[in-house]
């Protein structure tokens, strides 16, 4: 499913940069309508390939994973420390990413004096790594474990955001920072479904992950809060540094979960 999500989000990397009209004679409304039909049609065809497994099917338990015969439902899951540590990590890291991704093209134009198209290219780079990074993130999760991949990624994102106002002085560092932020989103959205299954089993994974995903929804409000705090200021340093602190805090929660072995406890 994460690979499908990656392909879905990768469409942004293949479209015209944000703020640039598509090179087409159809016009913007008709272009969106055509993209809607194409996306819906491909999604429908892909859904025909998905079938529920038979009732007798059981997922083999991996080494170090939770006992899938003792699956935890959503009512019990939200009363566990594991759920809230996962929720807090999700909210912190996603908030940091959401705050800065909208500022990146503006920073490129206003601070680095890039043209709108060169500044908007950073969003396409972000979308590329966010989308196509998810299959790679899944492979790394299987090999090294999701907590290890998340820890390294979130520490890298925190360092990138904290150093952003001081090191991003041209287009190349801007694109590199966008790639790192996109990779962090890929790791986040590919890892948390796995963590949900490891922590609470697979039987109630849909409901449990749905509850966990509310952290992502709450994090989407962080840019509004950041813009309210910044007001009309053109100094973006507090926003990037604040986002770096949030990402670092998320990494610390991941480290705490690793040390406590919390995913292996009910």
């Amino acid at each position: 499913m994460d690979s499908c999500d990656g392909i879905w989000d990768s469409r942004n990397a293949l479209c015209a940069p944000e703020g640039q009209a598509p090179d087409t004679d159809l016009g913007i409304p008709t272009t969106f309508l055509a993209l809607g039909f194409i996306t819906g049609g491909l999604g429908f065809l892909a859904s025909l390939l998905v079938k529920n497994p038979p009732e007798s099917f059981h997922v083999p338990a991996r080494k170090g994973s939770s006992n899938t015969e003792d699956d935890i439902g959503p009512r019990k899951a939200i009363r566990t420390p594991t759920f809230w540590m996962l929720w807090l990590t999700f909210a912190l890291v996603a908030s940091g990413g959401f705050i800065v991704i909208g500022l990146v093209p503006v920073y490129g134009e206003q601070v680095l004096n890039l043209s709108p198209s060169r500044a908007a290219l950073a969003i396409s780079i972000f979308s590329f790594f966010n989308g196509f990074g998810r299959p790679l993130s899944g492979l790394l999760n299987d090999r090294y474990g999701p907590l290890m991949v998340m820890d390294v990624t979130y520490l890298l994102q925190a360092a990138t955001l904290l150093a952003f106002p001081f090191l991003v002085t041209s287009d190349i560092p801007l694109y590199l920072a966008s790639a790192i932020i996109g990779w962090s989103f890929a790791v986040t959205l590919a890892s948390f479904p796995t963590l949900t299954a490891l922590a609470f089993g697979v039987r109630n994974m849909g409901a449990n992950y749905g509850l966990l995903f509310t952290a992502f929804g709450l994090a989407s409000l962080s840019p509004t809060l950041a813009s309210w705090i910044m007001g009309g200021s053109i100094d973006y340093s507090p926003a990037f540094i604040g986002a770096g602190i949030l990402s670092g805090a998320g990494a610390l929660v991941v480290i705490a979960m690793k040390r406590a072995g919390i995913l292996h406890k009910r």
Side-chain angles (χ1 to χ4, degrees):
M1 181 175 68
D2 296 323
S3 298
C4 294
D5 287 342
I7 295 172
W8 173 271
D9 282 337
S10 299
R11 73 199 186 284
N12 296 318
L14 304 176
C15 295
E18 188 172 299
Q20 303 296 308
D23 186 15
T24 176
D25 294 331
L26 296 177
I28 293 178
T30 306
T31 299
F32 276 113
L33 183 63
L35 288 174
F37 276 112
I38 293 172
T39 302
L42 291 176
F44 174 75
L45 292 176
S47 69
L48 298 178
L49 303 176
V50 180
K51 295 182 179 180
N52 289 325
E55 291 291 335
S56 59
F57 177 79
H58 295 284
V59 178
R62 295 193 305 179
K63 182 179 180 181
S65 66
S66 300
N67 181 8
T68 57
E69 295 181 356
D70 187 26
D71 289 335
I72 292 179
R75 291 186 178 181
K76 186 176 179 181
I78 61 175
R79 296 197 295 268
T80 64
T82 301
F83 176 87
W84 291 107
M85 293 184 78
L86 291 172
W87 192 95
L88 181 61
T89 303
F90 208 165
L92 288 171
V93 175
S95 294
F98 273 127
I99 287 173
V100 300
I101 197 56
L103 296 178
V104 165
V106 181
Y107 186 90
E109 288 189 54
Q110 295 187 358
V111 179
L112 304 182
N113 296 316
L114 299 178
S115 65
S117 59
R118 291 176 64 193
L121 180 59
I123 298 298
S124 293
I125 293 174
F126 162 84
S127 299
F128 180 89
F129 279 85
N130 178 21
F132 288 102
R134 296 191 196 183
L136 177 59
S137 174
L139 291 174
L140 294 176
N141 284 345
D142 289 339
R143 181 160 187 174
Y144 301 106
L147 291 181
M148 175 64 72
V149 177
M150 291 166 63
D151 194 17
V152 173
T153 298
Y154 296 160
L155 288 174
L156 177 62
Q157 174 172 290
T160 299
L161 297 179
L162 290 172
F164 195 102
F166 312 104
L167 298 183
V168 178
T169 56
S170 64
D171 54 351
I172 299 303
L174 181 72
Y175 299 153
L176 179 59
S178 298
I180 292 173
I181 298 169
W183 168 251
S184 179
F185 266 88
V187 168
T188 297
L189 294 172
S191 299
F192 274 93
T194 302
L195 289 173
T196 303
L198 289 175
F200 309 116
V202 298
R203 182 177 299 275
N204 300 288
M205 180 179 169
N208 290 333
Y209 183 62
L211 288 172
L212 192 62
F213 201 77
T214 59
F216 193 78
L218 182 64
S220 67
L221 302 177
S222 58
T224 302
L225 178 61
S227 64
W228 178 75
I229 295 175
M230 289 180 61
S233 174
I234 59 173
D235 181 10
Y236 298 102
S237 298
F240 285 107
I241 293 174
I245 292 173
L246 290 174
S247 300
L252 291 178
V253 179
V254 173
I255 293 174
M257 285 192 289
K258 284 174 57 180
R259 291 186 175 179
I262 197 167
L263 289 181
H264 308 316
K265 298 177 181 179
R266 292 293 185 152

